[in-house]
Amino acid sequence: MKNLPLRQLMPVLEGKVLSGSMTKTIQNAAKYGEHLITDSSLVFLLKRKSSFPLPAVHNLTVVTSNPKAVKSVRDDVTVVYVENVRKAYGRFISFYRNLFQLPVIGVTGTCGKTTTKEMISWILSEKDHVVRTKLSHNGLARNLDYLLEIDEKTDYAVFEMGVSGPNQLLYSAHYFRPQIGIITAIGTDHIEGFRSQEAYIAEKAKMLKAVGKNGTILLNRDDDTIRSFDLSEFTGKVLYYGQDPKAHYRAHSIQFNLKKNGMDFTLACHEGEFACFVPGYGTHNVSNALAAIGASTLVGVKIQDAVRRLHTFHHIKSHLQFYEGKKGSLLIDDTWNTNPTSIKAALEVLVETAEGRKTVAVLGEIEELGDYAEQEHRKVGALAAEKNVDVLIAVGENAYPICLEAAKRGMNPKAIHNVTTQAALLSLLGQLASPQTSILLKTSMRRSFSNTLQALVTKSKTD
């Protein structure tokens, strides 16, 4: 955080000092009970509680509408009274963000947003200082932490803007104020937090509002839902990426490069055609790369430099990582999270990299689908049958519709299994594993046997 004199913040807070000194420097900001409170913090007491014991740190400034609830007030604590703490907090967020005029890129979508954000950050960080969300840690409570990482040394900021309920995207936009927005893909996810699939889609589409009337939006032209967005009221700039002939950043001649563990493709855009390579398998990975290249060029990076930089990109863990598994099998770890859209991408990678091996797809329960659970699990079963995987293992009772639909679509019932315990899964995989077997683990390991991967891995394929 940029250090700020408390005196400078008083008009922003619209507060009155009840006790303590006003001549101090603020070095951190925190919401009580949500963020780490350190020396010289500005602490907002947002919750309604009868008692707020202060931590044993120095030079705190406390913003409250109930001074009597503040306990353990030492001599170096400044207590600031405001009528409405939440509004004062909102004004502080706006004030701090307005201190910095820098390009900010926001990324949302059902899947691909973490990788796209990481790719953009990797390209930009070659020469400049980039603030970004860490991994896929995009919960709303982290917004303040990320915002406060911006200071005088920051050149760019790239934020993943996830949603699990209504109005969350614009809530994050209040903190970050992106001028460039990316929507990677829209499938089915987090439905329990929304009234319907339509409400989920509408929430993602709010990125159009988040970038403002003069902002730029990058949209995946290959996604049917995104392509059907009503853009009539959007006054900013719209750019598309994908394989679609009308995309501004278009990929063609896409090939799996099994020797280099990635994807070859040709980028066609206004500046010409460029031969590209991106580490990591899958056409979805090409899509992520297109978005990253497009966003980077919008903030001044030359396309040639963005393409070159992507050659050395490293994916984060559990995103289609390859390992040598038990009995010499090939093991593909895609256990970071799961939804129908990412399952389709993972199955493509399983099949395209098998090189004659028997393909085994281990697919776990998909979380937060609400009333859509059965139909979405059945879609996954249809995908498995469509991709002609040799063996299907559905993990968990709620994943049983995957098996039903796969059988309905013509897959051999003897090759379809539903397991509900880790012991049963490991036993079955132990029987199937061999040098001629390729096994995809596509589950959310938060629920589907968190140490299954460790039990199966021998070593990383890149070791």
Side-chain angles (χ1 to χ4, degrees), residues 250-261:
R250 182 172 70 90
H252 66 84
S253 305
I254 300 173
Q255 293 184 327
F256 280 71
N257 189 326
L258 301 183
K259 292 183 179 179
K260 294 173 64 177
N261 299 320

Side-chain angles (χ1 to χ4, degrees), residues 236-255:
K237 186 176 183 179
V238 180
L239 296 171
Y240 287 101
Y241 65 91
Q243 299 178 56
D244 188 284
K246 294 183 178 181
H248 298 86
Y249 299 92
R250 182 172 70 90
H252 66 84
S253 305
I254 300 173
Q255 293 184 327

Side-chain angles (χ1 to χ4, degrees), residues 1-2 26-37 41-44 46 88-97 100 131 133 137-150 159 171-172 174-176:
M1 176 182 173
K2 177 181 180 178
I26 302 300
Q27 300 178 8
N28 180 44
K31 289 194 285 185
Y32 188 98
E34 292 188 30
H35 303 103
L36 179 64
I37 299 174
S41 286
L42 179 67
V43 183
F44 293 88
L46 287 153
Y89 176 72
R91 289 191 297 271
F92 169 76
I93 292 301
S94 296
F95 170 80
Y96 191 83
R97 175 63 184 86
F100 308 98
V131 169
T133 42
H137 300 159
N138 56 32
L140 300 184
R142 298 177 184 267
N143 286 353
L144 177 63
D145 295 330
Y146 293 132
L147 176 66
L148 294 182
E149 286 188 31
I150 297 175
F159 296 118
Y171 177 85
S172 294
H174 173 65
Y175 286 80
F176 304 140

Side-chain angles (χ1 to χ4, degrees), residues 243 254 256 263 281-286 320 332 342-354 359 383 387 389 440:
Q243 299 178 56
I254 300 173
F256 280 71
M263 303 297 292
Y281 293 118
T283 55
H284 69 286
N285 205 34
V286 173
L320 292 168
I332 306 173
S342 64
I343 289 173
K344 181 178 181 180
L347 289 173
E348 177 199 41
V349 172
L350 170 66
V351 172
E352 293 292 338
T353 60
T359 54
L383 286 171
K387 290 295 183 181
V389 297
L440 166 69

Side-chain angles (χ1 to χ4, degrees), residues 10 54 66 89 91 93 103 121 129-130 143 166 201 221-223 275-276 318 332 369 395 418:
M10 290 304 295
L54 299 181
N66 183 15
Y89 176 72
R91 289 191 297 271
I93 292 301
S121 301
H129 180 249
V130 182
N143 286 353
I201 294 170
R221 182 80 185 175
D222 299 332
D223 187 284
C276 302
S318 299
I332 306 173
L369 291 178
V395 182
N418 181 223

